[in-house]
Amino acid sequence: MATLPFSATSAHSNLATHSKFISSFIYSNPIRRNSRWFFISTSCSSRARRQLCLKSAATDQKDAATQTQEGSLVTFPPDSASVASIIKYHAEFTPSFSIESFGLPKAFYATAESVRDMLMMNWNETYEYYEKLNVKQAYYLSMEFLQGRALLNAVGNLELSGAYAEALKKLGHNLEDVARQEPDAALGNGGLGRLASCFLDSLATQNYPAWGYGLRYKYGLFKQHITKDGPGGSCRKLAGGSHMMGNPWEIPRNDVSYPVKFYGEVVSGPDGNKQWIGGENVTAVAYDVPIPGYKTKTTVNLRLWSTKVAPEEFDLHAFNTGDHAKAYAAIKNAEKICYILYPGDESVEGKSLRLKQQYTLCSASLQDIIARFERRSREPVKWEEFPEKVAVQMNDTHPTLCIPELIRILMDAKGLSWKEAWDITRRTVAYTNHTVLPEALEKWSLQLIQELLPRHVEIIKLIDEELIHIIIAEYGTEDLDDLVQKLREMRILDNIELPDSVLEILSKSEESSVVDYIEEVDIEAKATDEEAQSEGLDTEKKKEVTFELDPKLPKMVRMANLCVAGGHAVNGVAEIHSEIVKNEVFNDFYKLWPEKFQNKTNGVTPRRWIRFCNPDLSKIITKWTGTEDWVKDTEILVTLGKFADNEDLQSEWREAKRRNKIKVASFLKEKTGYLVNPDAMFDVQVKRIHEYKRQLLNILGIVYRYKKMKEMSPDERKAKFVPRVCIFGGKAFATYVQAKRIVKFITDVGATVNHDQEIGDLLKVVFVPDYNVSVAEVLIPGSELSQHISTAGMEASGTSNMKFAMNGCIQIGTLDGANVEIRQEVGEDNFFLFGAHAHEIAGLRNERAQGKFVADPRFEEVKAYVRGGVFGPYNYDELMGSLEGNEGYGRADYFLVGKDFPSYLECQDKVDEAYRDQKRWTKMSILNTAGSCKFSSDRTIHEYARDIWRIEPVVLP
């Protein structure tokens, strides 16, 4: 274990170096526009500070060119000596560990804190410059930010990887070993959160003024540990959030906090204004995480909210009388809001907690945004200019409550009228849709929202009424059948009475009596003839029109409809997905507001997903493109296509891939105990476990392959099959039983196949536990075939497919999500396509319901093989049964595994054939990397900034 010779002398030296290091950031300007070198100005306001800076720089930077004339600059690229000093300073003066040793955990924290110092200087300069210019700023609200480890990404973006590697070597450690001490930040689950993190990286790199907002989860998502028990084959443990031992990247902002209210009641004041009073009050406190751009000083912010209550909420009397639970109740109710990501919502308590999380994110973030707008504005505040300075992006439906919350603040706190608040909100907020799955288009119980957020229900009802009047104004009341159908599809409130103002309009329609959904009710006319005449009423009877409800169904609030109605833009995340959004999911809204709907195909940051996680391949790309500019401009990757047949490039490419495969093999041995052959094809499917993503199709294909192998002689097997290592990874939601059955099935198949000596290295099946960003950074560079095999039309986009393509991994998949565009860019011959198309799915399900589907004999064969007990004693009838029958919940093969199974097998035969020709396979791999040029998050963010947020890059001086 490394030790540092700490002493009074070294402490003084380290402190001086730290002062010099920080000063170099404060009094510096970059030598070139996109550089991250730093300088010390000899024209500092303090002569003493100037002398300290120059003396320290002269001592630690012997090779730096120094000039002493007044006003000149002393170059100060932080070298390994000064980096080592600052690391030693933090190890001694900001310790998270005891001083006896300098082990890897302590080395990580000291190193991260030294990097944070640099980030904070740039963060402060970025923030102050935005304040000075009063620029329009985008705010990205997301329940998830799946960041992964930050150290290597930060030093890479700062262009200090070499200096830090050498400094740590001097201190007895390796940079990669130190970086592995960092836990993955437990702030996300899957693609939604990873996309948000890629976007922050691209926003900073492209110098866009923007912040991210999220929640500071204490425990995050569960830690997955595979066992042999239960339907899931895995148990869950708390992930232990990244701040359990102190998060070196986050900066508490104890002076930035906002009240967040739940429950209570709404009262009207003497002036008629509404006030929300009483109830439960918590405080949201800000924690900031600086996000650096690549080769730029711009450092944007991820602001996370933590919840607490004031100390006086602790019930001392209850505690002293022994009722400790009551004493802590208010504190625990506040703290648990930020305990974990996506708490189980099967219970009322779980649903309530989820809604509290969503509202906390929205309320605290909007209060913060409005406070910043007011501070930057001149008196008096011109609220009509709010959308010209603020753009709020809702990442999926989780932040939907931004819409009624912004209206509430503008009306109740700032005194604006309904019309003014509604207009400002609609021009400020935009919505990204990430799913076409009905269950993922959030609906909340009206009763639950009424109890938790009574003022917001009033506002949502106003929005619903406004929307209905817009629909009626657009379509009229002549065809009430059509109108009522549109209202049923488009209303925000589901199974809830029509507002009186709407009923009045409909009751005047001559056609009201012919509509099934509109009742005509005869009532006694109680008014006198004179009153009736003055009011224009029929003296015998009048017609009252009501919207027929279903008493068996709950009253719900449709959050996706609220997003579409309350925002100025709606975007899908892949071309095919955006078309489905327009033509199916929100077709009526698209007809009403076609100008709102856009496509913004997802992208991933090339810094993390190739430059830093795959340095071997990155060096080859730089060599053959002649520049490293591809890291910021991925269009340059197209150049590789010209050399795809070059034997020298192919040789270098294969060697880089093999080195990465050796790393994967070592990783699998460490995590699972399985030994795999790096000369086999590495076939990977890593993503959230869900039936529509069809891990079940993959593992059934493997089972069929295994069965055929067992029926052959050794020579026949070798001739027929290419050796494969089939790798799975991903987490299933805690209450998703079927997904957990799939995990159990995969691990059971692996346990059988991997111990079959007859098969040996010809086939291995490995499930990697606790899949996260750091695991992906190991697996993706070493992958050769990646599976993106969702039921067509059900995957919004996917981003792992883009990461694999960037790293030269060939894909097998359906025409779904971003697969469609990836196949176009890499070339049809370099993508293995199978399966039904999106426009066929509805018809195929209808055929199944009518009993017309006839399963392929190979599909029946593989199901029977599974039921035969080959893979252990567990009863897989429920899992196999989901693929059978013609109707019923959990039956009838809704995701068309059986339909696509024969096409999938035949496509896998083509994969084997291509892999045998390594020259062809390598060319395909190179062309995948070349074709991935379109899938950088830099491109995506530019489109958001241009088309939705209307913001411009701001380059710091």
Side-chain angles (χ1 to χ4, degrees):
M1 181 177 290
T3 58
L4 294 179
F6 293 122
S7 64
T9 303
S10 70
H12 181 273
S13 173
N14 294 334
L15 183 57
T17 302
H18 184 252
S19 299
K20 174 265 297 179
F21 215 71
I22 298 303
S23 298
S24 72
F25 275 73
I26 296 174
Y27 302 104
S28 66
N29 284 301
I31 195 169
R32 60 183 188 273
R33 188 178 189 87
N34 292 323
S35 177
R36 293 306 298 259
W37 298 127
F38 309 102
F39 305 91
I40 303 168
S41 170
T42 62
S43 58
C44 302
S45 59
S46 167
R47 181 177 180 85
R49 181 183 295 277
R50 179 172 72 249
Q51 289 174 343
L52 172 61
C53 294
L54 293 176
K55 183 177 180 180
S56 298
T59 300
D60 289 337
Q61 310 285 343
K62 295 179 180 179
D63 298 329
T66 62
Q67 296 176 313
T68 59
Q69 293 84 1
E70 190 72 20
S72 64
L73 295 178
V74 177
T75 62
F76 175 42
D79 69 356
S80 60
S82 54
V83 168
S85 294
I86 196 68
I87 292 173
K88 290 166 68 176
Y89 166 82
H90 278 292
E92 187 166 359
F93 289 102
T94 55
S96 299
F97 299 86
S98 61
I99 64 172
E100 286 81 7
S101 63
F102 189 64
L104 282 171
K106 186 172 183 177
F108 162 68
Y109 278 90
T111 302
E113 285 159 349
S114 74
V115 177
R116 187 191 63 189
D117 287 346
M118 291 181 259
L119 297 183
M120 282 308 301
M121 290 301 160
N122 284 333
W123 186 96
N124 288 336
E125 189 174 346
T126 303
Y127 180 80
E128 289 167 5
Y129 196 58
Y130 291 171
E131 289 276 307
K132 178 182 177 181
L133 296 184
N134 191 15
V135 296
K136 182 175 184 179
Q137 195 161 324
Y139 299 97
Y140 196 82
L141 272 64
S142 178
M143 287 295 288
E144 297 185 40
F145 286 91
L146 193 57
Q147 296 167 282
R149 293 169 175 160
L151 179 57
L152 292 180
N153 195 75
V155 297
N157 278 0
L158 289 165
E159 297 183 276
L160 294 175
S161 299
Y164 268 88
E166 189 175 343
L168 285 167
K169 187 176 181 180
K170 292 177 179 179
L171 298 176
H173 290 301
N174 176 277
L175 175 58
E176 285 70 29
D177 292 338
V178 170
R180 279 194 286 270
Q181 300 302 305
E182 181 177 4
D184 274 47
L187 301 174
N189 176 29
L192 187 77
R194 187 52 239 170
L195 178 75
S197 294
C198 282
F199 278 5
L200 291 182
D201 177 271
S202 289
L203 284 164
T205 297
Q206 297 192 93
N207 302 299
Y208 282 113
W211 277 21
Y213 280 105
L215 295 182
R216 181 179 178 261
Y217 301 107
K218 184 174 183 179
Y219 301 112
L221 203 64
F222 60 84
K223 183 179 178 68
Q224 185 187 51
H225 177 66
I226 303 300
T227 72
K228 295 181 179 179
D229 304 320
S234 64
C235 69
R236 288 159 166 72
K237 299 179 181 179
L238 290 179
S242 58
H243 54 273
M244 294 302 289
M245 293 183 65
N247 183 349
W249 303 111
E250 68 179 16
I251 299 96
R253 304 293 192 187
N254 293 316
D255 60 331
V256 181
S257 63
Y258 299 96
V260 179
K261 182 185 291 292
F262 304 105
Y263 305 109
E265 61 178 335
V266 181
V267 298
S268 296
D271 56 0
N273 290 335
K274 298 292 184 73
Q275 292 297 320
W276 182 16
I277 62 172
E280 176 185 303
N281 297 286
V282 303
T283 300
V285 182
Y287 287 76
D288 288 346
V289 180
I291 309 294
Y294 179 71
K295 291 189 176 184
T296 175
K297 290 170 69 177
T298 299
T299 302
V300 302
N301 192 39
L302 170 58
R303 177 156 285 179
L304 304 172
W305 300 108
S306 185
T307 45
K308 66 177 185 179
V309 292
E312 53 265 28
E313 294 291 335
F314 178 75
D315 192 335
L316 183 60
H317 175 74
F319 188 84
N320 286 332
T321 58
D323 193 349
H324 297 165
K326 181 181 178 183
Y328 282 109
I331 295 173
K332 292 301 180 185
N333 280 337
E335 290 179 348
K336 72 180 181 181
I337 292 173
C338 293
Y339 270 177
I340 67 169
L341 170 67
Y342 301 146
D345 60 354
E346 291 190 327
S347 65
V348 174
E349 292 78 7
K351 289 181 173 67
S352 177
L353 183 56
R354 277 215 192 186
L355 192 58
K356 281 186 174 183
Q357 287 185 331
Q358 295 185 5
Y359 178 62
T360 298
L361 170 64
C362 295
S363 180
S365 302
L366 283 170
Q367 289 182 71
D368 194 45
I369 292 166
I370 287 171
R372 189 171 303 111
F373 171 75
E374 290 181 303
R375 185 174 62 251
R376 293 179 179 180
S377 300
R378 296 179 179 178
E379 294 289 346
V381 176
K382 297 180 179 179
W383 289 104
E384 67 273 12
E385 295 179 358
F386 188 79
E388 297 171 17
K389 295 296 182 181
V390 172
V392 175
Q393 188 70 37
M394 301 181 296
N395 191 28
D396 216 348
T397 53
H398 306 129
T400 304
L401 289 169
C402 279
I403 294 169
E405 175 65 0
L406 180 54
I407 292 172
R408 182 193 70 82
I409 295 172
L410 293 175
M411 291 179 67
D412 299 355
K414 306 303 176 183
L416 274 65
S417 68
W418 153 255
K419 183 178 180 180
E420 291 170 327
W422 173 236
D423 177 67
I424 289 170
T425 299
R426 292 188 75 192
R427 292 192 291 125
T428 301
V429 177
Y431 161 55
T432 298
N433 173 274
H434 283 280
T435 183
V436 299
L437 298 176
E439 65 269 23
L441 295 172
E442 286 188 299
K443 293 183 181 181
W444 285 101
S445 161
L446 178 66
Q447 180 181 351
L448 177 61
I449 302 181
Q450 179 71 58
E451 292 173 0
L452 203 64
L453 306 169
R455 178 62 175 133
H456 295 75
V457 167
E458 292 184 350
I459 294 170
I460 290 170
K461 287 181 177 179
L462 286 175
I463 299 172
D464 183 62
E465 184 173 357
E466 185 79 22
L467 174 62
I468 294 171
H469 281 289
I470 291 171
I471 294 169
I472 291 174
E474 177 70 20
Y475 297 106
T477 59
E478 293 183 0
D479 187 345
L480 282 181
D481 282 303
D482 181 64
L483 177 61
V484 170
Q485 185 59 35
K486 288 186 183 300
L487 293 180
R488 290 196 175 279
E489 293 294 327
M490 299 175 71
R491 282 192 68 189
I492 296 161
L493 300 176
D494 186 24
N495 201 37
I496 295 170
E497 298 85 354
L498 288 170
D500 291 341
S501 62
V502 176
L503 290 173
E504 183 179 349
I505 293 173
L506 295 180
S507 66
K508 294 177 180 178
S509 171
E510 295 178 356
E511 301 296 327
S512 60
S513 62
V514 302
V515 185
D516 293 339
Y517 304 106
I518 306 297
E519 295 179 326
E520 180 182 298
V521 182
D522 292 341
I523 61 173
E524 294 292 332
K526 296 182 180 181
T528 63
D529 290 346
E530 292 79 7
E531 291 172 334
Q533 186 175 4
S534 65
E535 296 176 11
L537 297 176
D538 187 324
T539 57
E540 294 184 1
K541 68 178 182 178
K542 68 177 183 179
K543 294 179 180 179
E544 182 181 280
V545 182
T546 62
F547 198 68
E548 190 175 86
L549 309 179
D550 188 338
K552 297 179 182 178
L553 296 176
K555 297 180 178 181
M556 305 295 287
V557 179
R558 296 189 280 203
M559 307 305 268
N561 287 17
L562 178 54
C563 286
V564 177
H568 67 89
V570 180
N571 71 278
V573 291
E575 287 180 359
I576 185 174
H577 169 239
S578 295
E579 290 303 306
I580 292 172
V581 164
K582 290 191 296 186
N583 298 325
E584 297 178 26
V585 181
F586 297 124
N587 183 245
D588 287 319
F589 284 107
Y590 174 62
K591 291 176 180 176
L592 181 62
W593 293 308
E595 71 282 356
K596 279 192 182 188
F597 289 80
Q598 304 181 23
N599 175 60
K600 296 288 174 279
T601 299
N602 284 342
V604 300
T605 168
R607 271 76 63 186
R608 180 179 290 272
W609 290 113
I610 183 166
R611 175 63 183 83
F612 301 144
C613 78
N614 198 345
D616 288 342
L617 189 60
S618 296
K619 291 173 184 175
I620 294 171
I621 293 172
T622 298
K623 172 184 173 182
W624 285 84
T625 60
T627 178
E628 201 178 37
D629 290 348
W630 62 268
V631 181
K632 289 185 70 173
D633 181 7
T634 53
E635 292 289 343
I636 295 172
L637 294 175
V638 174
T639 307
L640 291 170
K642 297 189 298 184
F643 307 108
D645 289 308
N646 185 286
E647 292 185 3
D648 291 336
L649 173 58
Q650 288 205 0
S651 177
E652 294 174 23
W653 200 271
R654 280 192 294 270
E655 182 56 32
K657 180 65 74 174
R658 193 173 193 282
R659 285 195 295 269
N660 286 323
K661 289 173 69 179
I662 290 171
K663 292 177 184 177
V664 172
S666 176
F667 175 81
L668 295 179
K669 177 65 170 64
E670 176 189 348
K671 295 297 182 182
T672 70
Y674 288 129
L675 286 170
V676 301
N677 179 9
D679 293 321
M681 180 201 299
F682 280 18
D683 173 352
V684 181
Q685 187 180 20
V686 284
K687 52 185 72 224
R688 180 166 53 94
I689 309 296
H690 197 291
E691 288 171 277
Y692 88 84
K693 293 179 183 287
R694 299 203 295 190
Q695 287 90 353
L696 185 54
L697 174 60
N698 185 352
I699 192 62
L700 286 175
I702 292 168
V703 168
Y704 185 82
R705 188 181 188 91
Y706 176 67
K707 182 177 185 296
K708 295 296 117 178
M709 286 180 178
K710 295 292 286 182
E711 295 170 354
M712 295 178 180
S713 68
D715 289 340
E716 288 173 329
R717 290 185 204 124
K718 187 175 180 181
K720 172 68 174 174
F721 297 106
V722 165
R724 285 205 201 193
V725 178
C726 301
I727 302 169
F728 292 84
K731 295 180 179 180
F733 186 62
T735 56
Y736 194 172
V737 175
Q738 191 74 330
K740 291 193 286 185
R741 287 191 183 114
I742 293 170
V743 174
K744 168 67 174 168
F745 183 35
I746 293 168
T747 56
D748 281 353
V749 171
T752 299
V753 172
N754 298 343
H755 293 96
D756 191 326
Q757 295 183 0
E758 279 189 7
I759 302 303
D761 285 342
L762 201 57
L763 183 62
K764 297 291 184 186
V765 180
V766 183
F767 189 97
V768 181
D770 206 34
Y771 179 69
N772 58 23
V773 174
S774 297
V775 174
E777 289 171 346
V778 176
L779 294 182
I780 291 174
S783 301
E784 295 175 288
L785 179 74
S786 63
Q787 305 217 21
H788 305 276
I789 57 177
S790 52
T791 310
M794 302 198 73
E795 183 74 85
S797 172
T799 52
S800 64
N801 45 11
M802 302 171 185
K803 298 160 195 167
F804 281 103
M806 275 187 178
N807 284 271
C809 182
I810 301 158
Q811 302 186 38
I812 179 172
T814 54
L815 281 180
D816 196 27
N819 286 0
V820 177
E821 293 157 80
I822 290 174
R823 182 170 176 261
Q824 291 170 352
E825 296 299 328
V826 305
E828 295 181 5
D829 292 339
N830 304 306
F831 185 105
F832 294 103
L833 178 67
F834 76 95
H837 293 196
H839 68 272
E840 300 173 317
I841 302 301
L844 291 170
R845 286 177 179 150
N846 186 51
E847 280 185 16
R848 182 75 181 232
Q850 295 175 14
K852 296 179 180 179
F853 173 71
V854 179
D856 188 275
R858 292 168 289 185
F859 188 57
E860 296 300 311
E861 180 183 352
V862 76
K863 288 189 295 176
Y865 192 62
V866 171
R867 283 182 163 128
V870 175
F871 303 109
Y874 186 79
N875 188 335
Y876 281 106
D877 280 346
E878 288 284 348
L879 187 60
M880 295 300 105
S882 70
L883 307 174
E884 299 171 339
N886 297 324
E887 58 184 358
Y889 180 77
R891 302 277 294 175
D893 193 12
Y894 183 78
F895 301 99
L896 304 181
V897 173
K899 171 63 181 178
D900 283 348
F901 189 71
S903 174
Y904 178 70
L905 293 181
E906 289 152 15
C907 195
Q908 287 285 14
D909 289 340
K910 295 177 183 177
V911 171
D912 279 0
E913 179 185 352
Y915 193 76
R916 287 191 179 93
D917 183 349
Q918 278 294 293
K919 185 174 181 179
R920 175 191 171 193
W921 187 270
T922 306
K923 178 180 179 179
M924 294 171 71
S925 175
I926 294 168
L927 291 173
N928 265 264
T929 298
S932 70
C933 62
K934 300 290 186 183
F935 303 104
S936 166
S937 51
D938 294 350
R939 182 265 313 156
T940 312
I941 280 299
H942 173 69
E943 292 179 2
Y944 273 96
R946 180 193 64 202
D947 302 335
I948 297 179
W949 306 332
R950 310 291 170 83
I951 61 174
E952 297 291 336
V954 177
V955 180
L956 273 64

